[in-house]
Amino acid sequence: MASEELSSKYLLLLLPQLSSLTASAVEKSYGPVLSALLSGISKSSNGAIVLDVAFSFVATGQRYDFPPNQVFVKTQRVLASVYRFISVVCTDLSIGVGLEGDVDIRVLLLAYQNGHKHLDPNPDPNESHSLEGPVVDLATLAASKRSWECIYSVDSEDGNILLTNFLSLVGPPPSWKVQKVRLGDVASCPDEPLDEASGIQSIEKRYFNVAVGGTFDHLHVGHKLLLTMTAFLLQNGSVHKVGQIPKLVIGITGDELLKKKDYREFLQSWDQRQQKVIDFLLAVLDFSPPGKQNISRLSKSIPGSTARAIDTIMPSGMIIECVEIFDAFGPTITDESVSALVVSAETRMGGRAVNSQRRDQGWQELDVFEVNVLDGDGEGSQNDSQDNPANSFASKISSTAIRRLQKQRVDSTASS
């Protein structure tokens, strides 16, 4: 799992399955839970807080071995609504989420149906690939026995059953505290329809080399959504089943290209940004039990390039390759084996440019998947104003806004 600082406080929130997964349903049902929890832990903690939110979500009924391309749209829509709403709650409570010492929230996709301890009818926790996310079942989450100090559970019938099932799968319980948080009024909004069966979502496809690119400065919830959904496309791309080694390629913008960014003096270095990306990915991907985390890292050179590259090799053999990029294309036009690209609505033109270049090279075009852009429009924060930038929604989802806030904190300290 991700590297952990001893000064941080690690917590887990278990959220049972909702009958509706619309953004309004998530807000109505889980709003009181998140508000009460975040308000309480932010006031009681003197150090950094890391909160894992296990969100129960089954994209395809009771099927666990799903084809990711067919449920990508619905999954990213649900995950985006959860991350966005968490950001809204943090905004309204004036809780920081982007700087050192702020709350670090990581949403874990939990394949769990209310009342069912095992979603997979034939679970095999001894297989290495079954211990990797970003979608995990309850048994895998329990077996990870992470260094959580407290397990928070929703005080409802479904929440109590989820907690009971979770603790029964843990085995000898670690020294966790358990606290219950009151659930809001369960929403009865109609659910959104499943993904339309068209284009790349109409047939079952498996991907073994998926790419994403970005600056990833001061990792925020928008980055977490993008990274999680890129890894999602590799879900169930098991080495043991098909004989191919899945690779997650992350192009991270080199320092030289960022010199004209606003508040550039507060930009994180490539090494820092790469480490934050890996820390987050390991948090949502590696659920190995204590003492069995078999993860290796290897710095390597790229033939014909001065770009830095680091491979992180997971227990299953899956490779996370972080590579320095100096243009908008990166490995997508130098590695023919890349088969899919994940972009945001803001960068969809980049995906088209990549495929245009690949066509010119005589290569097969990439399947391009798009995630939502998290913004402050519509329902949400009461404090989202330019008059209070520290509490603005933008300060939760924008690297530039986070750097501006960092500058304000430094200036305030210097003038006091």
Side-chain angles (χ1 to χ4, degrees), residues 142-289:
S144 69
K145 295 185 180 180
R146 292 185 172 183
S147 54
W148 298 302
E149 294 184 25
C150 185
I151 310 298
Y152 291 92
S153 171
V154 173
D155 191 8
S156 68
E157 181 178 358
D158 288 332
N160 292 332
I161 293 174
L162 172 57
L163 176 63
T164 299
N165 287 339
F166 175 76
L167 293 177
S168 71
L169 290 166
V170 170
S175 57
W176 295 332
K177 299 177 183 177
V178 176
Q179 293 188 26
K180 296 186 178 181
V181 187
R182 184 178 178 275
L183 180 68
D185 295 328
V186 178
S188 58
C189 310
D191 202 359
E192 296 176 329
L194 290 172
D195 306 336
E196 299 82 0
S198 61
I200 57 178
Q201 295 155 19
S202 61
I203 59 175
E204 179 173 335
K205 296 187 71 173
R206 300 290 178 180
Y207 299 96
F208 301 96
N209 194 329
V210 180
V212 67
T215 301
F216 299 109
D217 180 53
H218 291 90
L219 200 74
H220 54 65
V221 294
H223 296 140
K224 293 175 180 180
L225 169 64
L226 191 65
L227 291 168
T228 301
M229 292 311 303
T230 304
F232 180 82
L233 284 178
L234 289 175
Q235 185 84 25
N236 296 318
S238 170
V239 179
H240 306 285
K241 291 182 180 179
V242 298
Q244 289 185 257
I245 298 177
K247 179 187 283 188
L248 174 56
V249 181
I250 306 163
I252 303 176
T253 309
D255 295 334
E256 287 298 313
L257 294 184
L258 304 179
K259 289 184 175 180
K260 294 184 179 180
K261 288 280 188 180
D262 292 338
Y263 313 104
R264 57 188 176 275
E265 66 272 27
F266 295 102
L267 278 163
Q268 294 174 319
S269 69
W270 187 89
D271 287 327
Q272 290 174 312
R273 289 179 281 127
Q274 181 271 148
Q275 187 60 57
K276 291 294 185 181
V277 165
I278 289 298
D279 283 348
F280 171 74
L281 281 173
L282 292 185
V284 299
L285 290 180
D286 181 34
F287 291 86
S288 302

